[in-house]
């Protein structure tokens, strides 16, 4: 009787953990996601640009990391006590993703960018 109770409890606990993991939400960048730097192109740069736009910067989302992106990003970093180096590493990625992209209400944007922006979580 006691062993059956423990088995049921373990199964229930396991199911609860799976449910929380499945519903827990936001996908995160895989370990080793490369930093985003000047002169790059692609979806990761577009995610940075969308985050900057969501943060109030008037910037085009074209996927090209040029002067406008650098200027906006270094200003974003300086205003948030981050090193204004124009590189999106995990600390800058946390601020862009969790403070803006994840809260944007755009599910496609937040899910795609979660896999492309380096974060600490």
């Amino acid at each position: 009787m006691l062993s059956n109770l423990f088995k049921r409890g373990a199964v229930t606990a396991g199911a609860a953990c799976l449910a929380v993991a499945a519903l827990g939400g936001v996908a995160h960048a895989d370990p080793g996601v490369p930093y985003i730097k000047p002169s790059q192109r692609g979806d990761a740069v577009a995610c940075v640009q969308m985050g900057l736009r969501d943060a109030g910067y008037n910037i085009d989302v074209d996927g090209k990391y040029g002067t406008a992106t650098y200027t906006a990003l270094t200003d974003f970093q300086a205003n948030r006590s981050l090193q204004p180096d124009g590189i999106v590493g995990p600390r800058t990625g946390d601020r862009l993703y969790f403070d803006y992209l994840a809260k944007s209400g755009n599910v496609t944007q937040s899910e795609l960018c979660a896999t492309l922006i380096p974060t600490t979580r």
Side-chain angles (χ1 to χ4, degrees):
M1 168 102 171
L2 194 53
S3 76
N4 284 338
L5 182 62
F6 283 123
K7 286 179 188 175
R8 278 189 240 154
V11 169
T12 302
C17 287
L18 286 174
V20 168
L23 297 174
V26 178
H28 299 287
D30 295 327
V33 169
Y35 291 8
I36 301 162
K37 301 175 184 173
S39 300
Q40 287 183 281
R41 294 173 175 251
D43 290 339
V45 174
C47 286
V48 170
Q49 292 167 332
M50 285 185 273
L52 290 168
R53 190 176 59 194
D54 291 348
Y57 291 87
N58 184 16
I59 186 168
D60 290 332
V61 177
D62 60 6
K64 299 174 189 171
Y65 192 140
T67 305
T69 301
Y70 181 83
T71 301
L73 183 60
T74 53
D75 185 70
F76 175 88
Q77 291 171 319
N79 287 321
R80 286 156 183 84
S81 300
L82 299 166
Q83 182 177 346
D85 58 6
I87 297 171
V88 179
R91 291 184 63 219
T92 299
D94 280 351
R95 298 301 298 270
L96 280 170
Y97 182 76
F98 294 108
D99 293 352
Y100 297 98
L101 293 166
K103 296 178 180 180
S104 70
N106 181 331
V107 175
T108 303
Q109 173 182 305
S110 63
E111 287 184 7
L112 171 66
C113 294
T115 64
L116 298 174
I117 299 279
T119 62
T120 62
R121 307 181 215 173

